[in-house]
Every structure is written in structure tokens, then in C-alpha cells.
């Protein structure tokens, strides 16, 4: 490397001297272990990446992909095991060290500064400078050169990043990686934010990069993409590598899926006899542009309907729209024979929701348990505009006992409770309000295994009293174990509806990842 | 479950009380400092009682405004227009035309102008989705302009004996203006702690999204909060008119800063969701006591303002320290 001026960042390959030959192993992880307080995130991970290959990383939510990426990006340090980079052991103390060493990461939520220009983002933190002044001309020229190499010379380096589409922002992230002479680029679900034709362009760029010897770690849930762009696949399951270096194009879907499933976490679902009553909720052709399309479903009294789908499949948006918190572009929501528009109408007609982000969407963390429980009912529990704290305490305590909230002290601040108990508080809120239909978005997120079983029991008990439940979860076994009927959602559409007993975990994973078993040409059950 | 009642109250309440006690401690310190500077005055019990009433009389108008401000801040907003609204309500209610309707007409006019302007603030923030800082800043400028236009930049003398008498009469030995403050603060306390309106205010300021998903109409409530602040400004306008026996467009200058400072010293969280009326009221009295002390000691007002600034910083630092300690346990 010559000193002083940055070498024309134009050279995509970082060609010459240090440039690894195509096919050489540039990254090797052995027995990597990472624990966080109370959680083993990674317990023995192997990974081998060669120069010029697209190495795909596959695994369910919670399998440890994010932790692994963060170790490679220098955000976390591994507790045990070795990371070898370009032939020598390394330990990146911080993200900058990893970037300087040539490992660039493009996160799903693109980490760009919206109010800076394209060029300023590309060279953020390593601006070409002279005597403390940024050399804007040089920065723009080099950015233009990199963008041209990426096939997008038409993007003006002076443009504000805010004005770019997601695809454009992704290009800027890639240009930033190249400005650092990256030899390995990690892409975390890059296609999730792209439209279909933009994915093709992304693949063209990836091929161009790999042709110049740059390696790519590609993370995606979509098997067809892995088949199209990938060279080799490593599968993670429960923090371990369950398969390494499978050929991306020829490994059977069935094998890939089975490597990802059969997890060790015990899901204990108490037995339950569903007594399904009259129709409560009817959703017809509900549509919100770019989020979900033409969704129709019904939920009956005493019934649990589960929606299986990945993050980004539109499931949370669907739930919020049914609840009236988002405005539908088309379609209707009818609850108990009344058309629902807006949250107030939804609550009045017996709908309740436990949202995905408990802390930011449901709880008043600085307030005691009972005030969180009576958040929808404090008006009706009081008289003439005055609150009745005595009645509130009594009602909250009754529900807390019923749901076995621990500790059983409704005057405690809600943020001193565990995740599972906080979730009970949110469910209890709707129970107090006499809710007939409960919308549950990821009810067991951040809840430990023991408390999960209790929450499942709570949900069962509710249905026994005639409450209907519409449930969303990214954990397929949870949906299958809890629900009577399962809707599989992918890219904003319901692609399959079936009784839970007729589906297996593999079936559902196949559907959410690869579309339809039939169109995929695989053998069906 | 009876055990629920035997357990200690939540720490939030404890923190509020510790804080209020600390503020009372500050008042005692200020009293001692005064006694050291002017032992001649402070040795006279009658003078001390009288001086205390002077301090409270001085706190009355700003105290009423601070009640409204406390609600707005707990609800997650801020109202920079209070000083300007007082001036506007003051001049509007003392025009020759309004004075012809007598004291009732003047009071009605002041309150109506306050509520009306507050509603405009509220509509801009709640339905126009303007940032409260901007909406009320615009109102500050516009209301002062309108006040100047109405008054023709002249001081308007109030010839009404009833209104002027408010600042010069006592009820059971307590100045009438102080009685008004006590009544407003008492109603404010009940409104915040015992009504559904107060509960909604805390819920919206604490977590607006959670409140919305619980079915609370946060827009309408936000609008009402600014109207309430406007109402308080209308009451304060009558009180100031009474004190000065006149109104002018430049009245109540920088009241917004004093009211915000008093609320924050009193423990109101600027991000919303937490605050007490009692704390805010002690905050107001602390500020008035400092002003009073500087007057007695014949010290320049510049020093006085520096001390006030220092107290605001210390109060916020203490608040952050409390939070950090609480998180550790």
C-alpha cells in the first residue's frame, strides 16, 4: 500500500500484492463460542470462506446468525475459538478494526446517514483530507469511479442519501465497502428491502465482485436466491453449525430444511380441546400497499388462528391494520358484525392487541403494574371522570392472580417484572376490558422457556372462556403447537391455509422460504 | 389480596417525596442565608410572616401558569407561548370596550382568549402534527404582535375596582391572589391524580404509542392539554392586571422560561410521563424566594439570574443521578 493519498479506491479487487487468489481460504472460524448473560448464542461454530465465492449462511431466527455476523464485524469478541483472517489469527477489538482489515458488513437496516451526500457516506470516517480540510473534489471523483464500477455511474455522488431508494442506499453501502478495499463483504438479508427486478441487479453486482476475488457472505431466507447466487452453504441451528460447505445448487431443499429444524428447545403445549363457537372476526381482501395484499381470514370464538411467516412477510403490519392502528388501502375488517375503522372502534367492539414491541408499544414502564393493567379500563372503573384507584387495584389483583403474575404485587413498577410477566400484564389489560378477540404479535419474544409454557396455558384458558385468538409468531413450532388453524404468509400474501394437524414444521418452513412446494419441483408429502 | 396493601409504595412516589423534601431543605437554606445577611429584619417575627406572604403573592401568577405547564410537559409537550398569552389576554380584557362589561366581562374575556389561543396551539400540535416547540414559538411571536396591535403599544389602565382589589385584599389573612393560586393548584392536583383526564395525561406522556393502542384518543387529549395551559394563562392575566392595575403587550416577559424551570426543578420529566403539582409549586416558591432574597440584600439582578441558572442545572443533574442510582439497584 502506498502511503499518503488513498490508492485509487477504484480498484475493486484491491489487485496485486495482498490480493488473495481466487479459491484460497481467506476466513476460517473454528469452535467459536459466545455467551451473553443467561444465553448461549453460539456454542461451536465453524465457517470457511474462500476468496471469490458467495458463501451462504442459513438458519432460523435465533439460530445465531446475527451474533456470528457481529463477531466478524468486530462488534462482539468470541469467548472461545479462533478466527483466522488471511492466514493469521485475528481479534478485532472494534468495528473499525474489522473494516480496516478488509471485512465490510452491510446490515439489513442500512447504516447510512440520511442527510449526508452519497460521497460523504461512502467516505464517512476516512475522508480524503489535507491539513484537516476534506478534499471534496477527490472524494466525489473516487465515489463516482466506484459507482461506475458497480454499474451505477448515473448516481450523482453529491445527491442526498435520503432521496435514494432502498436499492440505491444498498449500492452506497457497497460502495463504502469497496472504498475500504474490502476483501469480504457480509450481506445480511440484502434482498429483503428490494423489489424483484432490483434483486437481479444485486446479483449482477455480486457476480462482478466475486469475479474480482472478493468473497461474499450472503444471508437470506429465500432458498431460490441461495440456489441462484450461492456457491456453498453453511447451516446454523441453535448456535451450532449443523452442516458446513454444502454445495448451494445441488443440495436438496429437504436436506437444507431438516438441518435447520429439530431444535433442542422443548416446546410444551398443554393439551386442549377446542370448542369453536360463532364467528367473531371476518377480514376480507385487506390490502396495504407494499405491506400485504388481499388477505382474507376469519376467527371464531374459542379458536386459535396462527399466522406463520418471516420477519418482513407483512404479518405484524397485518395485525396492526386489523386492530385499526394502520389504515387499510383496501378491504374490510368486521368484528361482531360491525365494520372496524380506527383503534377506538376496535377496542369498543372487543378487539385487543398485545403488540410485538412490548416495551415501546404496550407498557408504561415508569408506572405500576395495576395502572398498566387498567390502561384501557380506568375510565369505566371510575365514576364521572374520576378514577377509582381502590377498584383498579382490586380488579388488577384479581386478574394478576388469575394469570399468576409473579411477584403478585400490582403496585410494583412494571419494569421490575420479567419479560413473561410483563406479557401477562399486557394480556391482563385486555382480559379486564372484556376483550372477545385477542391479537397476539410474537407473544413469547424475550420470554424464557419456563414462562413460555405458562403463557401457552394462559392462552388456552382464555379460549376456554370463549375468547378468540389471532396469533403471529416467527417460531414455527409455536404456531403449529398453539393454533387450531394455520395461515402461512410470505411476502405479504397468505399462501396456504390448513388445520395445524395437517402441517409439519418442515412443510411450513418450506413454504415460508421457498414459496410453494409444488412450484419448487420438490417432492411433496 | 390483602398483602398488596402492606407492601411499600412504589419508588416513584418515594422519589417524588424525597425530592420535594430536598426542595423544602433548599427553602430553609435560603431562609437561613437571608437571616445571616439581614439579622435585623429576620429577628422580627411580624416582618418574617409578612415577607413570606409577599413571596407567595409574588409566586401567585407564575404558579398558576406553572400548573398548566406541568400538565403540558407531563403529556409530552411544551408550551413556549404562556407569557405572550398572558399579555394578549391581559390587553384584550382591559380594552375600553371590554371594561364596559364590568369585572365579569373582563374575567370572561381573559379566560376565553387564553382558552382560544391554547386551543389553536393544541390543534396545531395534535392535528397539524407540528412540533410543540415550533407551534408554541409561533404563537409566542404572533400573540405578542396581536397584543401590541390591540393596545396600540399603550399601557391600558384598569379602572375596575373589583379586579384591582384582588391584589390588595385578603381572605382570612391570606392575600386573595395566593388564595387563587392555592385553589388552582389544588384543582390541578385533583385533576392530575384523581381523574381520568390526569391518567390519560400521564399515559400519553409516558408512552404515546401504548396509549394509542390502548384506545385512548391522544390527539383530542393533546389538544385539551394546550387549552388547559391557555386557561391558566387567562387566570394569570387577570392576576397580573390586578397587581399592576394595568395591562400592556410587554407583560409577563419570559414567564415561559420561569414556568418551565419551576416544573423541572419540581421533578417534572421534560420527556413526559412524570411530574407532580406539589413539586412544581415548590419550584415556583424557590424561585420567588431567591428574587426576594436578592431584593432584601440589595444585590444586582444579574447575579440573581446566574444563581437561578445554576439551580436549574443542579436540579437536572440531581434528577439524572437519581435515575442512575435507581437503575443500579
Amino acid at each position: 500500500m502506498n502511503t499518503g493519498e488513498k490508492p485509487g479506491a477504484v480498484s475493486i479487487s484491491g489487485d496485486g500484492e495482498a490480493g488473495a487468489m481466487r479459491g484460497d481460504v481467506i476466513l476460517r472460524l473454528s469452535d467459536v463460542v459466545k455467551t451473553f448473560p443467561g444465553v448461549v448464542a453460539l456454542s461451536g461454530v465453524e465457517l470457511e470462506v474462500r476468496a471469490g465465492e458467495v458463501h451462504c449462511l442459513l438458519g432460523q431466527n435465533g439460530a445465531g446468525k446475527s451474533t456470528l455476523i457481529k463477531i466478524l464485524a468486530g462488534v462482539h469478541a468470541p469467548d472461545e475459538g479462533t478466527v483466522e483472517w488471511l492466514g493469521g489469527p485475528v481479534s478485532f477489538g472494534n468495528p473499525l478494526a474489522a473494516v480496516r482489515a478488509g471485512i465490510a458488513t452491510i446490515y439489513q437496516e442500512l447504516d447510512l446517514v440520511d442527510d449526508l451526500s452519497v460521497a460523504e457516506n461512502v467516505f464517512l470516517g476516512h475522508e480524503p483530507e489535507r491539513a484537516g480540510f476534506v478534499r471534496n473534489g477527490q472524494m466525489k471523483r473516487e465515489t463516482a469511479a466506484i459507482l461506475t464500477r458497480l454499474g451505477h455511474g448515473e448516481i450523482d455522488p453529491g445527491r442526498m442519501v435520503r432521496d435514494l431508494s432502498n436499492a440505491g442506499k444498498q449500492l452506497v453501502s457497497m460502495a463504502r465497502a469497496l472504498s475500504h478495499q474490502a476483501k469480504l463483504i457480509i450481506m445480511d438479508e440484502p434482498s429483503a428491502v428490494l423489489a424483484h427486478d432490483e434483486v437481479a441487479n444485486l446479483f449482477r453486482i455480486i457476480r462482478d465482485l466475486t469475479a474480482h476475488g472478493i468473497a461474499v457472505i450472503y444471508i437470506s431466507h429465500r432458498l431460490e436466491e441461495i440456489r441462484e447466487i450461492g456457491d456453498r452453504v453453511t447451516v446454523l441451528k441453535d448456535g451450532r453449525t449443523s452442516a458446513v460447505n454444502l454445495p448451494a445448487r445441488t443440495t436438496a431443499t429437504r436436506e437444507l430444511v431438516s438441518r435447520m429444524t429439530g431444535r433442542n428447545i422443548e416446546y410444551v403445549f398443554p393439551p386442549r380441546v377446542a370448542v369453536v363457537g360463532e364467528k367473531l372476526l371476518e377480514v376480507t381482501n385487506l390490502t396495504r400497499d407494499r405491506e400485504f395484499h388481499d388477505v382474507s381470514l376469519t376467527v371464531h370464538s374459542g379458536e386459535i388462528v396462527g399466522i406463520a411467516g418471516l420477519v418482513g412477510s407483512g404479518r405484524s403490519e397485518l395485525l396492526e391494520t386489523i386492530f385499526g392502528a394502520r389504515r387499510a388501502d383496501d378491504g374490510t375488517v368486521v368484528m361482531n358484525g360491525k365494520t372496524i375503522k380506527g383503534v377506538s372502534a376496535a377496542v369498543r367492539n372487543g378487539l385487543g392487541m398485545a403488540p410485538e414491541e412490548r416495551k415501546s408499544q404496550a407498557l408504561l414502564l415508569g408506572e405500576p403494574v395495576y395502572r398498566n393493567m387498567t390502561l384501557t379500563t380506568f375510565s369505566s372503573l371510575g365514576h364521572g371522570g374520576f378514577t377509582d384507584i381502590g377498584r383498579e387495584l382490586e380488579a388488577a389483583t384479581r386478574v394478576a392472580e388469575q394469570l399468576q403474575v409473579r411477584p403478585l404485587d400490582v403496585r410494583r413498577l412494571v419494569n421490575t417484572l420479567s419479560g413473561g410477566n410483563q406479557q401477562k400484564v399486557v394480556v391482563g389489560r385486555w382480559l379486564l376490558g372484556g376483550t372477545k378477540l385477542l391479537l397476539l404479535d410474537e407473544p413469547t419474544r424475550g420470554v424464557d422457556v419456563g414462562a413460555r409454557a405458562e403463557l401457552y396455558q394462559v392462552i388456552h384458558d382464555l379460549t376456554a372462556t370463549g375468547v378468540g385468538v389471532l396469533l403471529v409468531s416467527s417460531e414455527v413450532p409455536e404456531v403449529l403447537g398453539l393454533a387450531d388453524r394455520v395461515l402461512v404468509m410470505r411476502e405479504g400474501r397468505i399462501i396456504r391455509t390448513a388445520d395445524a394437524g395437517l402441517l409439519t414444521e418442515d412443510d411450513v418452513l418450506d413454504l415460508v422460504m421457498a414459496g410453494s412446494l409444488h412450484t419448487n419441483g420438490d417432492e411433496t408429502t | 389480596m390483602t398483602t398488596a396493601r402492606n407492601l411499600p409504595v412504589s419508588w416513584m412516589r418515594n422519589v417524588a417525596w424525597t425530592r420535594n423534601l430536598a426542595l423544602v431543605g433548599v427553602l430553609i437554606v435560603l431562609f437561613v442565608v437571608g437571616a445571616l445577611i439581614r439579622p435585623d429584619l429576620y429577628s422580627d417575627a411580624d416582618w418574617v410572616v409578612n415577607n413570606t406572604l409577599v413571596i407567595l403573592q409574588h409566586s401567585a401568577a407564575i404558579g398558576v401558569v406553572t400548573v398548566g405547564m406541568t400538565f403540558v410537559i407531563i403529556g409530552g409537550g411544551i408550551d413556549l407561548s404562556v407569557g405572550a398569552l398572558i399579555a394578549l389576554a391581559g390587553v384584550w380584557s382591559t380594552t375600553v370596550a371590554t371594561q364596559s362589561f364590568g369585572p365579569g366581562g373582563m374575567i370572561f374575556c381573559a379566560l376565553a382568549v387564553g382558552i382560544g389561543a391554547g386551543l389553536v396551539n393544541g390543534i396545531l400540535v395534535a392535528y397539524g402534527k407540528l412540533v410543540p416547540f415550533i407551534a408554541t414559538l409561533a404563537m409566542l411571536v404572533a400573540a405578542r404582535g396581536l397584543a401590541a396591535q390591540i393596545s396600540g403599544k399603550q399601557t391600558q389602565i384598569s379602572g375596575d375596582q373589583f379586579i384591582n382589589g384582588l391584589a390588595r385584599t385578603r381572605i382570612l389573612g391570606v392575600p386573595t391572589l395566593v388564595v387563587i393560586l392555592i385553589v388552582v393548584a389544588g384543582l390541578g392536583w385533583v385533576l392530575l391524580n384523581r381523574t381520568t383526564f390526569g391518567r390519560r395525561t400521564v399515559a400519553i406522556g409516558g408512552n404515546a404509542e401504548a396509549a394509542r393502542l390502548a384506545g385512548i384518543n391522544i390527539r383530542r387529549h393533546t389538544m385539551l392539554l394546550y387549552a388547559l395551559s391557555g386557561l391558566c394563562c387567562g387566570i394569570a392575566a387577570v392576576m397580573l392586571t390586578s397587581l399592576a392595575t394595568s395591562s400592556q403587550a410587554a407583560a409577563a416577559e419570559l414567564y415561559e422560561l420561569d414556568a418551565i424551570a419551576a416544573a423541572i426543578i419540581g421533578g417534572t420529566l421534560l420527556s413526559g410521563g412524570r411530574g407532580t403539582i406539589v413539586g412544581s409549586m415548590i419550584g415556583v416558591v424557590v424561585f420567588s424566594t431567591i428574587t426576594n432574597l436578592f431584593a432584601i440584600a440589595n444585590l444586582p439582578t444579574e447575579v440573581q439570574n446566574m444563581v437561578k441558572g445554576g439551580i436549574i442545572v443542579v436540579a437536572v443533574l440531581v434528577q439524572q443521578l437519581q435515575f442512575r442510582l435507581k437503575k443500579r439497584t
Side-chain angles (χ1 to χ4, degrees):
Chain A
M1 297 251 149
N2 50 346
T3 49
E5 303 252 325
K6 306 241 184 247
V10 192
S11 58
I12 272 191
S13 58
D15 42 18
E17 357 88 82
M21 290 291 288
R22 189 171 161 80
D24 288 353
V25 173
I26 57 167
L27 175 74
R28 194 192 298 278
L29 268 65
S30 320
D31 292 320
V32 166
V33 174
K34 178 71 192 175
T35 37
F36 296 107
V39 194
V40 182
L42 299 178
S43 56
V45 167
E46 319 282 327
L47 183 65
E48 177 196 279
V49 179
R50 295 173 188 269
E53 79 162 334
V54 177
H55 197 105
C56 299
L57 211 51
L58 203 56
Q60 293 202 59
N61 293 327
K65 290 174 306 206
S66 310
T67 311
L68 182 56
I69 296 171
K70 284 183 176 159
I71 284 175
L72 293 176
V75 178
H76 296 319
D79 298 337
E80 289 172 40
T82 55
V83 179
E84 281 177 55
W85 172 243
L86 301 176
V90 287
S91 139
F92 304 124
N94 55 61
L96 192 61
V99 169
R100 291 218 166 113
I103 299 180
T105 309
I106 299 176
Y107 292 98
Q108 210 172 339
E109 60 289 355
L110 303 163
D111 51 347
L112 299 175
V113 184
D114 271 347
D115 290 313
L116 291 180
S117 71
V118 169
E120 284 164 336
N121 266 286
V122 168
F123 282 94
L124 193 64
H126 66 127
E127 296 86 355
E129 58 176 30
R130 177 178 287 161
F133 290 95
V134 176
R135 304 187 59 188
N136 274 313
Q138 187 192 343
M139 196 163 81
K140 280 188 182 170
R141 276 195 305 281
E142 291 188 8
T143 302
I146 297 171
L147 288 170
T148 308
R149 289 298 293 257
L150 288 170
H152 284 271
E154 84 282 0
I155 296 179
D156 175 7
R159 216 167 142 193
M160 287 293 130
V161 161
R162 181 181 293 288
D163 301 331
L164 297 177
S165 66
N166 278 332
K169 289 180 184 175
Q170 210 167 55
L171 273 165
V172 175
S173 290
M174 264 183 257
R176 179 192 281 176
L178 294 181
S179 79
H180 282 287
Q181 318 285 308
K183 295 181 186 68
L184 170 66
I185 302 180
I186 302 164
M187 299 184 185
D188 187 6
E189 297 213 42
S191 59
V193 296
L194 299 181
H196 198 71
D197 52 327
E198 294 169 336
V199 175
N201 188 43
L202 172 71
F203 285 177
R204 191 189 56 70
I205 292 169
I206 290 176
R207 287 198 188 95
D208 191 47
L209 294 173
T210 52
H212 286 85
I214 295 174
V216 170
I217 294 181
Y218 188 90
I219 295 155
S220 175
H221 286 293
R222 299 176 186 167
L223 280 182
E224 75 256 35
E225 289 179 9
I226 289 171
R227 299 218 182 280
E228 188 178 342
I229 192 73
D231 294 306
R232 296 190 297 167
V233 180
T234 291
V235 185
L236 287 183
K237 190 187 85 181
D238 297 335
R240 285 174 188 282
T241 27
S242 59
V244 290
N245 304 337
L246 300 171
R249 283 177 193 84
T250 52
T251 309
T253 302
R254 182 116 332 243
E255 184 178 353
L256 288 175
V257 167
S258 71
R259 297 281 191 183
M260 295 164 59
T261 56
R263 62 171 58 201
N264 301 324
I265 295 175
E266 292 277 325
Y267 288 88
V268 184
F269 298 100
R272 156 169 174 269
V273 183
V275 186
V276 174
E278 85 276 25
K279 188 194 290 175
L280 285 177
L281 175 75
E282 176 147 35
V283 174
T284 316
N285 302 332
L286 204 64
T287 297
R288 242 178 90 85
D289 295 341
R290 301 188 70 94
E291 288 177 0
F292 53 85
H293 308 279
D294 210 18
V295 171
S296 299
L297 58 89
T298 52
V299 185
H300 297 82
S301 158
E303 185 184 34
I304 304 179
V305 176
I307 298 177
L310 301 169
V311 174
S313 62
R315 34 172 224 182
S316 298
E317 293 82 357
L318 172 64
L319 234 52
E320 288 187 8
T321 309
I322 292 174
F323 191 56
R326 292 173 186 238
R327 191 167 303 182
D329 289 318
D330 201 8
T332 54
V333 177
V334 176
M335 174 78 191
N336 263 345
K338 293 201 184 66
T339 304
I340 302 293
K341 281 217 171 80
V343 175
S344 309
V347 173
R348 258 199 320 279
N349 285 293
L351 270 167
M353 181 166 79
E356 184 177 11
E357 302 291 337
R358 210 159 36 234
K359 290 191 174 173
S360 66
Q361 294 185 293
L363 293 173
L364 303 172
L365 291 171
E367 295 284 305
V369 166
Y370 81 91
R371 289 197 178 197
N372 274 284
M373 276 200 175
T374 57
L375 190 62
T376 53
T377 42
F378 64 81
S379 296
S380 51
L381 285 170
H383 327 270
F386 286 87
T387 52
D388 185 338
I389 293 173
R391 261 182 91 187
E392 286 183 44
L393 284 169
E394 211 174 288
T397 305
R398 181 167 46 74
V399 171
E401 273 178 62
Q402 186 189 337
L403 300 181
Q404 300 183 350
V405 174
R406 276 183 305 264
L408 188 59
D409 171 12
V410 294
R411 289 174 184 248
R412 270 179 88 99
L413 280 196
V414 77
N415 63 1
T416 62
L417 265 56
S418 69
N421 282 295
Q422 288 182 356
Q423 189 66 277
K424 288 182 193 171
V425 171
V426 178
V427 171
R429 172 187 300 167
W430 298 110
L431 216 59
L432 263 177
T435 293
K436 296 190 201 70
L437 189 121
L438 207 51
L439 308 168
L440 299 174
D441 195 352
E442 297 276 6
T444 58
R445 166 179 287 195
V447 173
D448 63 63
V449 178
R452 280 176 185 219
E454 284 185 26
L455 271 175
Y456 296 152
Q457 188 62 56
V458 165
I459 295 170
H460 280 184
D461 292 348
L462 281 179
T463 57
T465 65
V467 172
V469 172
L470 180 59
L471 162 100
V472 156
S473 173
S474 16
E475 296 190 28
V476 174
E478 187 167 283
V479 176
L480 290 176
L482 273 178
D484 304 315
R485 214 145 40 83
V486 174
L487 312 177
V488 181
M489 208 169 169
R490 182 172 190 262
E491 291 171 22
R493 289 176 194 281
I494 305 274
I495 54 169
R496 176 102 188 252
T497 305
D499 282 347
L502 300 176
L503 289 169
T504 67
E505 193 182 347
D506 284 8
D507 294 337
V508 177
L509 272 172
D510 272 348
L511 285 166
V512 296
M513 293 195 312
S516 153
L517 282 175
H518 306 283
T519 59
N520 211 31
D522 269 281
E523 79 281 17
T524 50
T525 43
Chain B
M1 204 63 198
T2 47
T3 51
R5 265 160 218 137
N6 304 332
L7 284 156
V9 286
S10 66
W11 70 262
M12 177 189 68
R13 190 164 287 197
N14 287 337
V15 164
W17 279 114
T18 336
R19 185 179 192 94
N20 290 347
L21 278 179
L23 284 171
V24 171
V26 169
L27 282 174
I28 292 170
V29 169
L30 289 172
F31 182 86
V32 171
V33 170
L36 289 176
I37 295 174
R38 294 296 299 269
D40 52 326
L41 293 178
Y42 278 77
S43 58
D44 178 355
D46 283 346
W47 181 89
V48 169
V49 170
N50 219 20
N51 189 49
T52 306
L53 291 178
V54 168
I55 292 173
L56 290 177
Q57 171 114 339
H58 198 86
S59 310
I62 190 72
V64 169
V65 175
T66 305
V67 170
M69 184 69 80
T70 303
F71 271 90
V72 172
I73 297 180
I74 292 177
I78 192 111
D79 188 350
L80 298 182
S81 68
V82 289
L85 294 196
I86 291 171
L88 179 62
V91 275
W92 206 320
S93 63
T94 50
T95 57
V96 178
T98 317
Q99 289 202 35
S100 68
F101 288 98
M106 290 170 71
I107 292 170
F108 176 82
C109 173
L111 302 191
V113 169
I115 293 173
L119 272 176
V120 173
N121 277 334
I123 289 167
L124 289 176
V125 172
Y127 296 94
K129 306 245 166 75
L130 259 67
V131 181
F133 188 94
I134 301 297
T136 59
L137 183 66
M139 177 59 79
L140 183 165
V141 177
R144 288 257 180 228
L146 184 55
Q149 172 144 36
I150 290 174
S151 63
K153 297 185 188 166
Q154 301 294 310
T155 300
Q156 296 180 165
I157 308 294
S158 159
D160 188 89
Q161 290 313 306
F162 175 79
I163 298 232
N164 295 348
L166 292 176
R168 284 152 197 88
T169 53
R170 296 187 172 202
I171 297 174
L172 300 174
V174 182
T176 309
L177 292 189
V178 177
V179 173
I180 295 176
L181 171 63
I182 291 169
V183 169
V184 170
L187 289 175
W189 187 90
V190 171
L191 190 63
L192 182 61
N193 296 296
R194 290 286 179 267
T195 69
T196 57
F197 183 91
R199 184 69 64 81
R200 281 188 207 112
T201 307
V202 175
I204 289 171
N207 189 339
E209 178 70 0
R212 187 175 77 98
L213 293 180
I216 294 173
N217 187 340
I218 59 174
R219 284 194 203 163
R220 188 181 65 193
H221 192 81
T222 302
M223 180 186 74
L224 291 177
L225 283 175
Y226 287 92
L228 176 66
S229 177
L231 168 66
C232 290
C233 292
I235 298 171
V238 175
M239 296 163 86
L240 280 191
T241 302
S242 168
L243 272 171
T245 65
S246 67
S247 288
Q248 53 167 330
E253 199 97 52
L254 295 186
Y255 263 40
E256 54 279 1
L257 297 190
D258 278 356
I260 293 167
I264 286 174
I265 290 173
T268 310
L269 217 56
L270 204 49
S271 54
R274 191 168 302 163
T276 64
I277 296 292
V278 175
S280 292
M281 290 305 103
I282 304 179
V284 170
V285 175
V286 166
F287 262 24
S288 303
T289 306
I290 291 169
T291 310
N292 177 260
L293 196 60
F294 274 78
I296 290 170
N298 279 323
L299 287 168
T301 46
E302 301 83 60
V303 183
Q304 173 187 326
N305 286 339
M306 288 192 279
V307 170
K308 281 185 181 175
I311 285 181
I312 296 173
V313 172
V314 170
V316 175
L317 285 178
V318 168
Q319 198 171 42
Q320 287 173 345
L321 192 71
Q322 279 176 326
F323 265 107
R324 234 170 285 158
L325 288 177
K326 210 63 221 178
K327 267 189 185 159
R328 217 167 288 164
T329 53

